[in-house]
Amino acid sequence: MVKETADPTDTETTYDTTARPTGAVAPRVSVTGARALREALRHGGDALPAALREADDGLLLSALDEGLPAERATRVVVELVRRAPGRGPELADAVCEKVLLAQLYLDPPPRVPDGEGGAAVDSGRRLRVRNALMLYEGLVRPYARRGAVPELMACVLPGLWTAGDGAGREVVRRIAGTRQPTGFGEKGWKALFGGVAEECREYEEAADSAARREARRRWWRRGTDDEGRLDLQPGQLWVSLLLGFIAVALVLIVVLAAG
């Protein structure tokens, strides 16, 4: 949803970008503020801490939405989590919902820098996992017992588990391995295991189908190879020889009788 507001001292356009429960206070995104934050994140230096502190939650979430490299995303994540104690329940739920709908911002940046090697990719993946865990611990877990979050987990958790590069699965395992309430809720676990069970069933059906095709192929090849060839077992061979002797004897008897 887009809102345009006229301020007597400033004519910036503000954008309401965060999905939220009814009544929640929406983080707003300022055009010039977003530009300033983007520049500070790109160049770093002494200006970055001030830019992060001055940016509101909407700006920080929008920066993560743009797909920052993991190192820069870490700075934004730390700032979002640092503010958690000062948010009211409605705003906290709105931020939490946005973070969950974005699957903890685990997606890698859309463009990989030229010449980036495997070690750098692995390092970026580890940072993304760490950032996701930080977001979960600082923003999601404290509010997981609120009404909207467990419902949302039924949609988010299966997606994390099946994420392409396995980062989401690692996050789920590490959250569950802390021996604390995960906050996934009964519906979240049911959705996850239901999806896993369906995936396993599909694999089993595909394996059975492949086995049946292979069996038919082998049967057809064996029948083709044996065509035109009489392959007798030992017992069948003796019977055939006996019948041959009897036939020869009958012929001789007929010949002798005729003579």
Side-chain angles (χ1 to χ4, degrees):
M1 181 170 62
V2 178
K3 297 181 180 179
E4 296 191 0
T5 60
D7 190 320
T9 61
D10 193 351
T11 58
E12 290 181 355
T13 302
T14 59
Y15 296 86
D16 174 6
T17 60
T18 304
R20 62 196 184 280
T22 303
V25 179
R28 298 190 303 172
V29 178
S30 164
V31 172
T32 56
R35 187 179 301 115
L37 178 61
R38 190 181 303 114
E39 290 298 318
L41 284 168
R42 181 179 296 114
H43 298 295
D46 297 336
L48 181 54
L52 289 170
R53 287 193 302 269
E54 293 170 3
D56 61 20
D57 290 335
L59 278 173
L60 297 176
L61 292 169
S62 294
L64 290 178
D65 274 333
E66 293 177 2
L68 295 171
E71 296 85 355
R72 299 178 193 172
T74 300
R75 303 294 297 271
V76 179
V77 167
V78 169
E79 180 62 24
L80 281 169
V81 173
R82 185 189 67 81
R83 299 179 183 184
R87 294 189 186 99
E90 291 182 341
L91 181 56
D93 280 352
V95 173
C96 175
E97 183 175 337
K98 175 69 175 178
V99 167
L100 284 173
L101 288 173
Q103 292 195 346
L104 306 177
Y105 296 99
L106 270 169
D107 291 336
R111 288 178 295 180
V112 177
D114 294 337
E116 186 172 278
V121 172
D122 291 342
S123 176
R125 181 181 179 277
R126 287 194 297 270
L127 274 177
R128 288 190 292 115
V129 170
R130 191 183 70 178
N131 290 343
L133 290 169
M134 197 184 313
L135 287 170
Y136 195 87
E137 294 294 336
L139 303 180
V140 179
R141 196 192 291 274
Y143 309 102
R145 293 181 181 177
R146 297 184 185 274
V149 175
E151 297 288 340
L152 193 56
M153 278 298 180
C155 303
V156 174
L157 190 56
L160 286 177
W161 187 257
T162 57
D165 63 352
R169 187 168 299 192
E170 182 177 347
V171 169
V172 173
R173 285 171 173 163
R174 291 175 66 173
I175 291 172
T178 60
R179 297 186 180 181
Q180 300 180 40
T182 62
F184 295 159
E186 182 180 357
K187 290 186 177 180
W189 285 116
K190 283 184 176 180
L192 173 60
F193 282 105
V196 171
E198 179 65 21
E199 183 179 351
C200 291
R201 185 184 65 79
E202 291 175 357
Y203 284 145
E204 289 178 357
E205 289 180 352
D208 289 343
S209 178
R212 287 194 297 270
R213 288 196 301 270
E214 180 64 17
R216 287 195 298 269
R217 186 180 65 83
R218 289 179 178 177
W219 178 84
W220 182 83
R221 288 183 60 185
R222 185 171 62 249
T224 302
D225 293 343
D226 292 345
E227 185 177 356
R229 185 179 65 192
L230 186 62
D231 191 6
L232 298 177
Q233 300 297 321
Q236 294 174 325
L237 180 62
W238 283 109
V239 171
S240 299
L241 290 174
L242 180 60
L243 291 175
F245 286 136
I246 293 173
V248 171
L250 288 175
V251 170
L252 290 175
I253 291 172
V254 170
V255 170
L256 292 174

